[in-house]
Amino acid sequence: MTKQVFQLIKNEVRRQKETLMMIPSENYASRAVLKALGSAFQNKYAEGYPGRRYYQGQKFVDEVENLTIKLAKRLFGVPRVNVQAYSGSPANAAVYFALLDPGDKIMGPGLLSGGHLTHGHPKITFSGKYFNSVQYQVGEDGLFDYEKIERQALKERPKIIIAGTTSYSRTLDFAYFGKIADRVGAYLMADIAHIVALVIAGVHPSPVPYADVITTTTHKSLRGPRGAMILTTRKGLLKDRDLAKKINRAVFPGLQGGPHENNIAAIAVALEEAGQKDFKQYARQIVNNASCLSGELANLGFSLVSGGTDNHLMVIDLRNKNIDGKRAALLLEEAGIIVNANSIPHDPRPPLVPSGIRLGTPALTTRGMKEEQMVQIARWIGAVISGQTNPGKIKQKVEELTKKFPAPGLG
Ligand code: DSN
């Protein structure tokens, strides 16, 4: 069985090397990140926080967790950080658990408008079941209308407003969200899981001056292990000086047991990598690549939700191509181009067979691809979706291209 598992790992490494990973939330972690992730810290239980643990043997665990917190504080310019949340959904859950009582009102972006399930999606998620969730949506143009969101917030008076998305391709106006939250006396939680690298590099405005709490995953554009961080800002502490304490208590013992210290060590490695000069260049190139890819796709007659992109991703509305998102994603997979089927705003089709696909450039950028490759990839996408070229033929070309751009971390 173990042999079988290692064979499957080998197969997955090969798949990741030979395909174009264009799911915008995926990336390649470095060798150093993977090494920390597979380290002896994985064997250690460490309930509690540095200096206040419930088990013995914490000397190095405490040091590594403190180091991770220090690096995060410096990188984001925030006074308090929790690095224990297991991933993005538990991080968001911890913020709600810290700041809300069951039944309190939350206001976040709808799923079809680019929001996440944890942003208050009704009925089937904890965030929509245990809280009174109202959601704001994009308009027909695929854009958030901030004045409309403000009117809705003034009417609804939520206790927390969530600003963050997983499939919105435009710049988020965190300053405006901050103004809205201040007007209604709500907490502002920014979820920057997707755009975190862009925020670090200054390619997307930072929510730090405007939000009270910021959540982010660490494995998307940041290129760390699968984990999360919860940042408490100066603004948040001015509003409620116990805010960071409440968040720590919500993570442990509120929602979680032992933190995954191997993950936390790997987050430290990723944060140090994100503090290097070339990380800024990487983040800028992500945006340049996305802009080039979307421009080329538009030239090929694809309709992009909101007309284009300012960040790392784009959603293609395929209704004018007579193909649904699932079929398109399957055909592209045959060609070695990995994307995900995605709902478009106000999608008439069901989520498993939606009208669109979502694609992004972080992983390709990590491999060193630039505009020249984006133009080529857009043409391959066009040829596959229009049925002009057999996906198998494109797959050969994709494999040739991927050989020229080795995936870091995979050896
Ligand atoms: N599943 C992630 C994404 O693909 O955007 C969000 O958690």
Side-chain angles (χ1 to χ4, degrees), residues 32-300:
V33 165
L34 294 177
K35 204 168 167 193
L37 198 54
S39 68
F41 279 124
Q42 105 84 27
N43 299 333
K44 188 72 194 110
Y45 255 116
E47 274 98 334
Y49 288 97
R52 279 172 62 90
R53 304 280 189 187
Y54 289 82
Y55 297 178
Q56 294 315 114
Q58 309 292 357
K59 179 169 168 29
F60 304 114
V61 158
D62 276 6
E63 283 183 30
V64 88
E65 191 166 331
N66 277 331
L67 182 65
T68 313
I69 291 168
K70 189 171 143 191
L71 285 166
K73 281 183 186 172
R74 198 184 327 158
L75 197 59
F76 293 96
V78 294
R80 299 292 295 273
V81 177
N82 181 300
V83 294
Q84 291 194 0
Y86 295 142
S87 201
S89 299
N92 289 352
V95 174
Y96 307 155
F97 197 70
L99 304 181
L100 307 170
D101 288 315
D104 277 349
K105 198 175 270 185
I106 70 174
M107 183 169 153
L111 202 60
L112 298 196
S113 295
H116 189 251
L117 288 165
T118 57
H119 295 165
H121 188 61
K123 292 189 189 134
I124 55 168
T125 73
F126 77 90
S127 62
K129 248 181 126 157
Y130 298 116
F131 301 106
N132 177 3
S133 164
V134 291
Q135 301 216 282
Y136 55 88
Q137 311 290 350
V138 293
E140 288 303 322
D141 54 3
L143 297 170
F144 288 129
D145 174 341
Y146 291 91
E147 286 173 17
K148 196 169 166 202
I149 295 171
E150 185 170 21
R151 286 195 296 277
Q152 192 180 356
L154 283 166
K155 179 169 163 258
E156 299 287 354
R157 300 262 157 199
K159 202 160 169 194
I160 190 165
I161 295 175
I162 300 133
T165 51
T166 64
S167 57
Y168 185 70
S169 62
R170 296 301 186 174
T171 301
L172 287 174
D173 192 342
F174 289 123
Y176 207 126
F177 274 115
K179 190 185 107 183
I180 298 173
D182 289 345
R183 271 197 84 184
V184 302
Y187 288 107
L188 179 63
M189 179 185 103
D191 178 346
I192 58 167
H194 265 258
I195 55 169
V196 56
L198 279 47
V199 168
I200 289 169
V203 195
H204 187 290
S206 169
V208 169
Y210 313 107
D212 301 299
V213 188
I214 300 166
T215 59
T216 181
T217 51
T218 47
H219 49 276
K220 296 188 177 86
S221 56
L222 186 57
R223 299 195 292 208
R226 302 189 84 87
M229 297 186 289
I230 307 173
L231 322 177
T232 302
T233 63
R234 275 191 187 82
K235 184 177 179 191
L237 285 183
L238 275 177
K239 188 177 282 178
D240 176 355
R241 63 181 192 169
D242 288 332
L243 193 55
K245 216 184 273 173
K246 286 181 188 165
I247 284 167
N248 278 354
R249 275 202 214 118
V251 173
F252 174 84
L255 291 165
Q256 296 186 179
H260 298 174
E261 294 292 342
N262 55 323
N263 242 68
I264 290 171
I267 292 173
V269 175
L271 289 172
E272 189 174 53
E273 289 174 357
Q276 310 296 318
K277 247 199 207 142
D278 59 356
F279 191 85
K280 286 208 166 80
Q281 183 48 39
Y282 148 75
R284 269 195 294 273
Q285 191 62 45
I286 289 177
V287 174
N288 292 344
N289 281 350
S291 164
C292 173
L293 182 68
S294 68
E296 198 59 26
L297 287 167
N299 289 342
L300 293 167

